Amino acid sequence: MNILHKKIIVNNSKVNIGPVTFFRLMKEIVGGYDNIGASKQDFKKFRRDLKAYIQGSDAEMFVDNFTNKKLMWSVFFFDFEMDEDYCLCRALWADPLCKKSYALFGDMVSFDTTYKPIVYSG
């Protein structure tokens, strides 16, 4: 795999496009599987390795991203809380459009990150 393959897999991950879908897309772009320069397994292994590399630091990356946004854009609001194990447990952010929408409609979007499917043992 070359650096372009890796960069595009990383960018596609950000918009929830998996390595197999991207591999098929590359086939269409370059005119066939033989012209891609890597196998489907290469794409899948790179994505697996990327996830393993990020594991445990995803919350830190999230906080760093919004902290930088707050520093560069004075009207951007961001705050967060960590639990006793230093795990991210709450985050709130709002740009001017969010603030205006809240003032007009009183609505906000909330994500329940604690949700997990219930597993019943038989």
Side-chain angles (χ1 to χ4, degrees), residues 24-68:
R24 289 187 200 128
L25 180 63
M26 280 295 293
K27 177 197 75 140
E28 298 301 322
I29 292 170
V30 299
Y33 290 120
D34 295 336
N35 299 330
I36 293 175
S39 70
K40 182 175 17 174
Q41 284 304 106
D42 292 334
F43 280 51
K44 290 166 73 174
K45 287 178 185 175
F46 178 76
R47 173 78 183 272
R48 179 204 61 210
D49 295 345
L50 177 65
K51 288 172 113 178
Y53 176 77
I54 291 172
Q55 183 180 10
S57 62
D58 52 347
E60 182 180 347
M61 293 168 65
F62 174 85
V63 169
D64 288 347
N65 179 43
F66 280 114
T67 300
N68 288 335

Side-chain angles (χ1 to χ4, degrees), residues 71-107:
L71 290 172
M72 294 172 49
W73 194 18
S74 63
V75 294
F76 183 81
F77 174 82
F78 172 66
D79 199 9
F80 66 97
E81 289 182 19
M82 309 283 265
D83 65 14
E84 60 277 351
D85 296 324
Y86 299 103
C87 292
L88 182 65
C89 59
R90 288 179 195 76
L92 175 67
W93 68 92
D95 62 19
L97 182 59
C98 293
K99 292 176 185 180
K100 184 175 182 176
S101 294
Y102 182 77
L104 290 172
F105 306 110
D107 289 337

